[in-house]
Amino acid sequence: MNGNMNPKNINILNHLVFKEPTKEQVHALQKIEDFLSYKNSDDFMIVCGSAGTGKSSIMNAVVKYCEDKHIKVNIAAPTAKAARNIASKTGNLARTLHSLLFSVSTKPDKALIQYSLKTDYEQQYSVFIIDESSMINSQVVRNSEDELFMCSISLLNAIVQFAKSGNPENKVIFVGDRYQLPPVGEKHCNALYMEYLKKRFDWRGSHIELTIPSRFHTSSYIYTNAEGFRNSMMNDTVMPKFDLPNAGNLNNTVSSYLKELNQFGPNKVVSIAATHRQNNLFNHKLRTLRYGKNAPKLMKGDVINIKRNWNRGAYSLYNGDMALVMDVDYNNQIIVSNLNYIPVQLKVKDMNNENVIITDYLLMECLDHGTGSLGSMKENKLYAERYRKNKTYRVSGKIEDDRYLGALRASYGYSITCNSAQGGEWDTVYLNTFYIPCPQWAYTGITRARNNLFIY
């Protein structure tokens, strides 16, 4: 901040990067400026809007405004992918909600990881910006993919409790698109509904809806298709048909995808499908075309999707992160509890969106699963064995203190589910339309694309 600038004279509109903001963007910033005032007693504000309407740019202005006003800001998102995305757009560090809200403990002899809500001891008035809030669950739901993880509180409840534990005057800004996929097991994105927050938590707050696009031109076929599905949900009408370029059959799509991958590299192109089975078929065909029928299960150049949080010393990876395989050392493969572990070297993005190289063992049995879980029987057998054999882990209970429990778990990352893609953006997206579970699925898939979108 300019040392001669009086915080009382700071105008939030001066921090907007748009040269010619729309009227609704100006209105939104003015409402947020009033909301952030110490005189305003509201607890929350919801900033809703479809992809490309300027939500991230508005939050960028909010962050810079708060810095000049000496207001502490915490930026978080449900996934590391979403956190990196908002961090790159605001120029500020963002965290995953789980790292912000929870401490982790384990029962060393069993495959059970417990999340416990932290207390915020920061007493300074703070604002929490929660991006991709459509992904925030309001109910405690367990499924086969997280059967080894225990948490007695929903993310939404945890945000509400944590935000107010440091200073009761703290405020929360929920940012997102309520027409995207809701959390697993829920019908609505409750964190983005004002009446739900008021009734459930006795909070006061308001809502802003952004409708005018800035990322997509209104004539863009991506925007046109997204709006078609969004309008059908708003008006409760029949789901429209896709009006998108068709990449052809699966073989043609895989061939086109591979050309994009070879030319632009990973993190620029992705395929999205509704089921793990569809993704496995795509991933298998692509790897066969790329490496041949008899290629090893993992090769240099493979793109993988991290399926369980990983930590070794100064580096951390999170569920949903994409990684490029730089090396695979089959000569030093190890079998532990009838499971195959292979040393690998990966290129990944850290939370500052910088490339880093990490080396560790990777659990090969997870590659075809689409999830990071082996099932409770195999998991408990592995944990019990490592508890007996590793004294350091037996004392600490931290899985990172065991080479095999803390090993990398990943699946192939060429084609992923829409839930995994949520919170991310790619230059080119190939959308599998063989099975469309709901209009939210289609809308979410469409809006993952920045420049190019194909169906197959």
Side-chain angles (χ1 to χ4, degrees), residues 45-263:
M45 174 168 281
I46 296 171
V47 180
C48 258
S50 58
T53 53
K55 298 189 300 294
S56 296
S57 296
I58 286 174
M59 288 306 112
N60 184 27
V62 170
V63 170
K64 289 177 169 54
Y65 172 78
C66 287
E67 288 175 350
D68 283 351
K69 295 285 284 186
H70 307 300
I71 299 172
K72 180 177 174 60
V73 177
N74 293 282
I75 307 173
T79 67
K81 191 184 298 150
R84 287 193 191 93
N85 196 21
I86 187 64
S88 66
K89 291 178 178 180
T90 62
N92 280 262
L93 182 65
R95 303 173 64 181
T96 65
L97 280 170
H98 283 83
S99 66
L100 173 69
L101 302 172
F102 298 107
S103 58
V104 180
S105 60
T106 62
K107 291 186 176 181
D109 60 335
K110 293 183 179 180
L112 185 64
I113 298 173
Q114 177 73 46
Y115 286 96
S116 301
L117 181 63
K118 297 177 184 176
T119 298
D120 182 15
Y121 293 105
E122 176 58 67
Q123 296 181 0
Q124 180 184 348
Y125 168 59
S126 304
V127 175
F128 293 82
I129 297 175
I130 312 299
D131 198 31
E132 296 292 346
S133 291
S134 62
M135 302 169 68
I136 297 171
N137 63 301
S138 59
Q139 303 171 22
V140 179
V141 179
R142 298 187 69 204
N143 56 52
S144 58
E145 290 192 28
D146 62 6
E147 60 184 0
L148 308 178
F149 297 83
M150 291 291 295
C151 187
S152 59
I153 185 173
S154 70
L155 267 181
L156 184 55
N157 284 56
I159 291 167
V160 169
Q161 291 187 33
F162 182 82
K164 294 293 187 178
S165 64
N167 184 330
E169 302 300 319
N170 288 348
K171 299 173 184 286
V172 181
I173 301 177
F174 294 101
V175 185
D177 186 347
R178 65 172 59 161
Y179 295 101
Q180 287 192 24
L181 276 173
V184 175
E186 300 187 32
K187 293 182 178 180
H188 303 288
C189 311
N190 286 324
L192 295 174
Y193 282 87
M194 181 173 62
E195 294 306 319
Y196 181 89
L197 296 178
K198 288 181 175 180
K199 184 177 181 180
R200 177 68 180 83
F201 303 110
D202 195 28
W203 269 19
R204 294 170 50 123
S206 58
H207 170 265
I208 297 170
E209 187 77 27
L210 300 170
T211 60
I212 302 174
S214 55
R215 190 176 92 199
F216 303 119
H217 192 275
T218 52
S219 63
S220 160
Y221 69 93
I222 298 175
Y223 171 77
T224 302
N225 279 266
E227 280 301 285
F229 281 93
R230 193 169 190 266
N231 290 335
S232 74
M233 290 182 279
M234 289 175 62
N235 302 318
D236 196 22
T237 56
V238 176
M239 185 167 61
K241 294 182 178 180
F242 291 96
D243 184 17
L244 294 168
N246 196 317
N249 61 27
L250 181 59
N251 289 331
N252 290 338
T253 303
V254 166
S255 179
S256 298
Y257 181 111
L258 188 55
K259 290 178 182 177
E260 291 258 358
L261 180 65
N262 291 335
Q263 184 174 356

Side-chain angles (χ1 to χ4, degrees), residues 27 75 109 125 139 166 194 295 321 326 348 361 372 380 389 427 438:
H27 175 66
I75 307 173
D109 60 335
Y125 168 59
Q139 303 171 22
M194 181 173 62
D321 282 349
M326 304 299 291
V348 297
Y361 280 91
N380 282 322
K389 295 185 176 181
D427 287 348
C438 59

Side-chain angles (χ1 to χ4, degrees), residues 328-345:
V328 186
D329 184 5
Y330 281 98
N331 292 327
N332 287 300
Q333 179 174 348
I334 296 177
I335 299 176
V336 177
S337 193
N338 294 321
L339 300 171
N340 295 278
Y341 292 87
I342 292 182
V344 296
Q345 187 179 78

